[in-house]
Amino acid sequence: MKQIEVVAAIIHDDKGRIFATQRGYGDYKDWWEFPGGKMEPGETPEEALKREIWEELETHIVVEQFVQTVEWDYPQFHLTMHCYLCRVASGHLELKEHEAAKWLCKDELESVNWLPADKDIVRKLKK
């Protein structure tokens, strides 16, 4: 089975809200996810996350802490997703690849259709 390793940013604000993005392409178009993407050879997860968020959202982030690694088997591939709590350093979260985005309070987290691999993180954040 194909293996894919990615990083994901759990971007929060000072009100405790979490930034969620809706995919605009691919097999899981319209599903919601934490923004991020694939690591390049030689990158640390933190470097990859900063680069991916800049590419996807034209925003600089501060990577605050590691949350957990999610291992998930999709029909086409096995995903390893390293998730980090982050905050915006500068920029305005401009959507470059996603079709929509929302800031969600903890009690609103389950109001969107999350990708299966992201659901573990959502459950953890609700606690």
Side-chain angles (χ1 to χ4, degrees):
M1 181 178 276
K2 182 178 176 181
Q3 306 271 334
I4 298 178
E5 186 173 18
V6 301
V7 288
I10 305 165
I11 301 171
H12 68 96
D13 66 9
D14 56 1
K15 299 174 187 168
R17 300 178 303 171
I18 302 293
F19 190 71
T21 53
Q22 188 177 30
R23 290 179 64 89
Y25 58 90
D27 291 342
Y28 293 93
K29 183 182 180 320
D30 298 331
W31 290 62
W32 290 78
E33 66 183 351
F34 297 106
K38 293 180 185 172
M39 295 172 57
E40 299 287 340
E43 279 184 321
T44 66
E46 293 88 346
E47 290 167 340
L49 203 48
K50 289 177 182 181
R51 176 187 51 75
E52 282 287 342
I53 297 306
W54 175 255
E55 290 173 3
E56 291 182 6
L57 300 167
E58 269 190 26
T59 299
H60 292 287
I61 57 167
V62 174
V63 180
E64 295 179 325
Q65 71 180 41
F66 172 75
V67 175
Q68 80 178 60
T69 296
V70 174
E71 301 283 347
W72 190 267
D73 287 323
Y74 283 98
Q76 307 88 344
F77 59 91
H78 176 79
L79 180 73
T80 300
M81 180 173 65
H82 308 291
C83 304
Y84 290 81
L85 196 61
C86 304
R87 65 178 166 78
V88 172
S90 66
H92 53 279
L93 299 166
E94 182 179 330
L95 300 181
K96 297 290 187 184
E97 297 181 13
H98 296 92
E99 64 183 50
K102 292 181 181 183
W103 283 102
L104 300 169
C105 297
K106 283 187 180 184
D107 62 348
E108 298 172 319
L109 283 172
E110 291 183 332
S111 68
V112 299
N113 189 25
W114 290 96
L115 284 167
D118 293 60
K119 288 181 181 179
D120 273 353
I121 299 298
V122 170
R123 283 190 284 277
K124 187 172 192 164
L125 292 171
K126 285 192 66 163
K127 292 181 181 175

